[in-house]
Amino acid sequence: AQKITQTQPGMFVQEKEAVTLDCTYDTSDPSYGLFWYKQPSSGEMIFLIYQGSYDQQNATEGRYSLNFQKARKSANLVISASQLGDSAMYFCAMREGSNAGGTSYGKLTFGQGTILTVHP
Amino acid sequence: EPEVTQTPSHQVTQMGQEVILRCVPISNHLYFYWYRQILGQKVEFLVSFYNNEISEKSEIFDDQFSVERPDGSNFTLKIRSTKLEDSAMYFCARGGRETQYFGPGTRLLVL
């Protein structure tokens, strides 16, 4: 079974509009972290936002917010006020487990990605 | 927090040749990772490295692969005898408390 599922191969949004990129995950571990990365055409992986499984509030970073619905095992990325420079591939990823201190340095498992195209 | 740097940015090699990909992190970091991304596909974990030892490796990371940190700074991934299917982008990442910071990647092409 896929641990991270991104069901939208491609998404289109008008500049200045908001867009939601879907991500569902599968884990039996009570402690995990969820991440979103942006990969522009140049190829680098840019960290956007992180949500811990025990975090009470949804994570926000500037125009990015993570809609975390634990019971549904979903961690959708919301980009507000889209810009042309937001056009890129977006990956959702999960890290399972943590040590006793609540910190984990384990591997990331990635989804297949969603290509976002922002139209002017 | 700054990301790591990687060299070379591009590498073209013949099948069967050995390649060494280098990652230059900020000193005093203990957790490092190698991932690869075959063109058009998702990012896949290869190996994690903690305190100069492998802490976890995937099924992809077979005997053709090795990692080391020979001088305490540079962190290398060696592919002993490259295959066509090793053509991919290889990312080094360093561990942070709530994320992993990726380097710019090395694009490897095996002919």
Side-chain angles (χ1 to χ4, degrees):
Chain A
Q2 293 287 332
K3 284 185 176 287
I4 294 286
T5 302
Q6 294 181 253
T7 57
Q8 306 154 317
M11 288 286 286
F12 295 89
V13 66
Q14 206 71 26
E15 194 178 9
K16 299 179 185 176
E17 297 291 314
V19 63
T20 297
L21 306 183
D22 294 343
C23 173
T24 57
Y25 60 91
D26 182 27
T27 181
S28 56
D29 199 315
S31 179
Y32 52 90
L34 297 157
F35 306 78
W36 279 91
Y37 286 85
K38 172 184 178 181
Q39 187 177 43
S41 58
S42 53
E44 71 262 40
M45 294 288 286
I46 302 168
F47 166 72
L48 295 179
I49 197 165
Y50 165 83
Q51 179 85 43
S53 59
Y54 294 118
D55 293 344
Q56 294 296 313
Q57 294 187 325
N58 287 345
T60 59
E61 289 287 348
R63 294 187 298 112
Y64 305 108
S65 60
L66 200 152
N67 184 2
F68 181 45
Q69 298 190 43
K70 199 169 183 177
R72 293 186 177 184
K73 293 190 175 179
S74 74
N76 298 340
L77 177 70
V78 180
I79 306 174
S80 62
S82 298
Q83 301 171 357
L84 296 178
D86 293 335
S87 293
M89 176 75 90
Y90 288 80
F91 288 101
C92 179
M94 176 173 65
R95 181 176 61 203
E96 295 171 280
S98 66
N99 60 21
T103 301
S104 171
Y105 292 90
K107 67 183 181 188
L108 298 183
T109 301
F110 285 83
Q112 294 284 0
T114 296
I115 299 175
L116 175 66
T117 304
V118 181
H119 289 302
Chain B
E1 296 178 65
E3 296 176 356
V4 297
T5 60
Q6 292 184 242
T7 60
S9 58
H10 295 78
Q11 174 98 41
V12 180
T13 190
Q14 295 291 324
M15 190 170 56
Q17 294 296 304
E18 175 184 284
V19 295
I20 297 176
L21 311 182
R22 289 183 172 81
C23 174
V24 185
I26 306 296
S27 60
N28 300 322
H29 290 137
L30 297 177
Y31 290 90
F32 300 97
Y33 312 81
W34 283 100
Y35 294 85
R36 80 173 185 189
Q37 183 183 29
I38 296 171
L39 186 63
Q41 298 187 21
K42 66 179 178 180
V43 179
E44 300 174 292
F45 168 75
L46 291 177
V47 64
S48 57
F49 199 73
Y50 167 66
N51 204 22
N52 298 324
E53 291 185 355
I54 290 176
S55 56
E56 186 177 2
K57 57 184 180 180
S58 72
E59 63 276 7
I60 303 170
F61 194 86
D62 59 21
D63 292 343
Q64 293 296 319
F65 291 90
S66 63
V67 290
E68 60 180 12
R69 199 176 187 192
D71 55 7
S73 58
N74 289 352
F75 178 49
T76 63
L77 174 70
K78 182 190 293 185
I79 309 175
R80 290 188 181 83
S81 178
T82 50
K83 307 181 185 72
L84 296 177
E85 55 265 36
D86 293 328
S87 294
M89 178 78 99
Y90 287 81
F91 291 104
C92 171
R94 73 158 184 84
R97 181 177 174 86
E98 294 181 342
T99 189
Q100 288 180 14
Y101 297 96
F102 281 68
T106 293
R107 195 173 295 277
L108 176 66
L109 178 60
V110 182
L111 302 177

